[in-house]
Amino acid sequence: MQNHNIDFDICGIIIDLLLITTILCIKHDKTWRAKIYLILTINVFIAQVLNIVTVFAETYLPPSLAGFNNFLAVIHILAVNSQPSVYCLFLIAMTTTRKRLNKIKLALLFTPAIIEFIVICTSPFHHKLMYFLQDGTYHHGEWWNFLYILAALYTAFGFFFLLYKKEQFTKSQIIICLSYTILAIFSYAIQAAFPKLFATGFAVSISVLLIYLSIRNPSRFIDSKLKIFNVEAFID
């Protein structure tokens, strides 16, 4: 643990907890957008907690507990790599409000994510994504880079979906959602250069916080010309 800097993750966890508590206290917001946003925030929170827990387990637990370490690693990888697909789902929900999402289109879009889920869950058996040696050290498998490719594809989809549906987003929401992509890519680059510096989760937490502030911006619920509550205010 002494070789890893977990300060950013601790800060991110605090932000996530504040967001989750705030969202759960707002009982009236029953939209798909709110539900999926909560899932995204919990996802980010779990990923950051497991960033710390998995490093602690790998450092201090004996090699005889490799099965437990495998379990933690699988949950951690699932939490981290499901974030881009959940973010895409959130953007789609932003354009539907209370309407039911198209299940067929969603099934096609998230088929790669379902396959990824299966591969990650079975990785302790085929060792293509990650594995532990007999001395308890953790290593990436030959398929590991495919996780980055899939994350990049969903991030790109989210980017182009945002541009395609830009008339359904406010200008501030577009800027903030695009910042999610930029911050994520930037933090991945930092993580690659400094593997022991856990900064990716913190960058995503900041992005998620900014998205929340844009969603709950009071000016969104006021008609700019009439200065009265608009349709969005009554829906929310």
Side-chain angles (χ1 to χ4, degrees):
M1 286 282 284
Q2 65 272 16
N3 295 325
H4 294 80
N5 189 326
I6 62 173
D7 295 345
F8 286 106
D9 265 339
I10 293 173
C11 293
I13 288 170
I14 294 172
I15 293 173
D16 298 336
L17 283 175
L18 290 174
L19 276 173
I20 292 170
T21 303
T22 303
I23 295 167
L24 292 177
C25 289
I26 302 176
K27 301 293 185 180
H28 67 275
D29 196 341
K30 304 297 183 181
T31 61
W32 281 104
R33 176 191 65 198
K35 294 174 182 177
I36 297 172
Y37 178 84
L38 177 60
I39 293 172
L40 176 62
T41 308
I42 293 174
N43 192 330
V44 175
F45 168 73
I46 292 173
Q48 289 184 98
V49 170
L50 287 176
N51 267 347
I52 299 173
V53 172
T54 51
V55 171
F56 179 88
E58 183 186 348
T59 304
Y60 295 108
L61 293 185
S64 59
L65 293 177
F68 181 66
N69 278 338
N70 267 310
F71 171 76
L72 288 177
V74 167
I75 302 300
H76 181 215
I77 296 170
L78 283 173
V80 172
N81 290 278
S82 60
Q83 288 174 22
S85 54
V86 174
Y87 175 66
C88 285
L89 186 59
F90 168 70
L91 290 179
I92 294 171
M94 284 280 285
T95 64
T96 57
T97 311
R98 290 179 182 270
K99 296 178 183 178
R100 290 284 177 178
L101 302 176
N102 189 309
K103 294 181 180 180
I104 296 178
K105 289 183 179 179
L106 288 179
L108 292 174
L109 176 61
F110 293 105
T111 294
I114 295 171
I115 295 173
E116 179 189 44
F117 174 83
I118 295 171
V119 172
I120 291 173
C121 289
T122 56
S123 58
F125 305 102
H126 55 66
H127 299 166
K128 296 295 185 180
L129 285 182
M130 62 85 188
Y131 56 92
F132 286 87
L133 295 179
Q134 291 184 347
D135 60 0
T137 56
Y138 173 82
H139 295 274
H140 292 160
E142 58 193 80
W143 288 0
W144 183 262
N145 288 335
F146 286 105
L147 297 179
Y148 291 113
I149 294 173
L150 192 58
L153 289 175
Y154 278 113
T155 302
F157 174 85
F159 174 79
F160 289 110
F161 179 84
L162 191 65
L163 296 180
Y164 178 69
K165 296 282 189 178
K166 61 182 179 181
E167 71 279 354
Q168 298 189 43
F169 296 88
T170 66
K171 184 179 294 185
S172 62
Q173 286 175 344
I174 292 175
I175 294 173
I176 290 170
C177 288
L178 290 179
S179 73
Y180 177 97
T181 303
I182 296 170
L183 282 174
I185 294 173
F186 182 68
S187 62
Y188 288 146
I190 293 178
Q191 191 76 62
F194 305 98
K196 297 184 183 297
L197 177 63
F198 295 155
T200 302
F202 176 70
V204 174
S205 291
I206 293 296
S207 299
V208 170
L209 172 61
L210 293 175
I211 291 172
Y212 177 80
L213 293 176
S214 74
I215 292 173
R216 304 310 303 175
N217 185 354
S219 64
R220 243 180 20 92
F221 305 105
I222 303 295
D223 187 281
S224 59
K225 294 181 179 179
L226 300 177
K227 303 302 180 183
I228 60 175
F229 286 120
N230 56 22
V231 174
E232 184 71 16
F234 290 102
I235 292 177
D236 253 9

